[in-house]
Amino acid sequence: MAASTPSRPNGLRATSVADLSHIGLQLFFERGFDETTVDDIAEAARIGRRTFFRYFPSKNDLPWGEFDILIDRMRNDLSAVPAEIPMVAALRTAILDFNRYPQEELDYHRKRMQLLLNVPSLVAHSTLRYASWRAVVAEFAGRRLGLPETDLGPQVVAWACLAACLAAYEQWLRLPEKSLLELLDSAMTQLEDVFGAREP
């Protein structure tokens, strides 16, 4: 059965990262990631192939949408956290804000994460994205612990936060009736119990 081709209303072209990401993801949902080409996405978005690559370096980057913008926002938010806020409590707030989506976007985001966590080529590509996310956490943890961000302590905090988030996401995909933010909050609260007593 042929899949429908999403396009912009009234034949308008995609003019933002968010627009193009939504169009590409809809094609991935309907046709499969490997079966969808950059040319397919460009045609549906009414843009040229070269224009696609101005928005995304590769097809693998498209499912991440505005991830880089969110990373910068998270870094800025953590930089502004008052010193009296405990490290893991601050990370918990920042991570919840990073993963806060409007109710109408949650089903769409669930499908996005199913792709990112299950399509082999996307899973491999995710290591680059996760590294940039962990770097933000390690920078903040390093400042709080008085250590270089590459030191074992900040890196343990960064890896532990990523593991907690991925565990929460896997639960959310398996149990769609659960709240994503509640699962993330619970996961980070458990980390807070582990790390909280060890903070300087």
Side-chain angles (χ1 to χ4, degrees):
M1 182 168 58
S4 61
T5 300
S7 62
R8 300 285 292 146
N10 301 320
L12 298 178
R13 295 188 308 158
T15 56
S16 70
V17 168
D19 286 342
L20 189 54
S21 179
H22 275 75
I23 290 170
L25 281 169
Q26 189 60 42
L27 285 174
F28 297 157
F29 301 156
E30 294 176 356
R31 303 178 183 181
F33 179 79
D34 292 328
E35 291 74 22
T36 304
T37 67
V38 168
D39 288 331
D40 293 333
I41 299 166
E43 180 181 358
R46 302 183 186 279
I47 60 174
R49 179 183 174 88
R50 290 173 61 186
T51 302
F52 174 93
F53 289 113
R54 293 193 191 116
Y55 287 102
F56 297 105
S58 71
K59 186 178 79 167
N60 287 354
D61 290 293
L62 185 144
W64 293 90
E66 297 180 311
F67 184 80
D68 291 337
I69 294 172
L70 294 175
I71 283 284
D72 289 341
R73 185 181 304 161
M74 183 177 174
R75 177 179 280 111
N76 291 336
D77 289 346
L78 286 172
S79 296
V81 173
E84 62 269 19
I85 304 296
M87 176 181 69
V88 182
L91 287 168
R92 177 170 157 268
T93 298
I95 287 169
L96 290 178
D97 288 343
F98 187 92
N99 289 280
R100 200 177 299 277
Y101 290 86
Q103 185 63 37
E104 62 272 16
E105 282 283 320
L106 283 178
D107 184 59
Y108 193 87
H109 184 52
R110 189 190 308 277
K111 292 177 181 177
R112 177 204 306 268
M113 293 307 300
Q114 286 171 341
L115 290 173
L116 292 175
L117 294 178
N118 292 290
V119 175
S121 55
L122 288 175
V123 172
H125 185 72
S126 294
T127 59
L128 301 174
R129 296 295 190 165
Y130 293 150
S132 64
W133 188 92
R134 291 196 324 271
V136 173
V137 176
E139 287 169 14
F140 176 73
R143 288 197 300 272
R144 285 304 184 89
L145 298 174
L147 296 168
E149 64 190 72
T150 55
D151 197 84
L152 181 61
Q155 289 297 316
V156 167
V157 173
W159 278 99
C161 286
L162 177 62
C165 290
L166 291 177
Y169 263 104
E170 287 186 349
Q171 288 284 307
W172 185 55
L173 295 182
R174 190 169 62 84
L175 303 169
E177 70 278 6
K178 297 287 188 179
S179 161
L180 172 59
L181 288 181
E182 287 179 5
L183 288 169
L184 287 166
D185 185 56
S186 177
M188 290 304 299
T189 297
Q190 292 181 56
L191 276 191
E192 203 168 358
D193 292 341
V194 172
F195 286 112
R198 305 184 181 204
E199 290 187 44

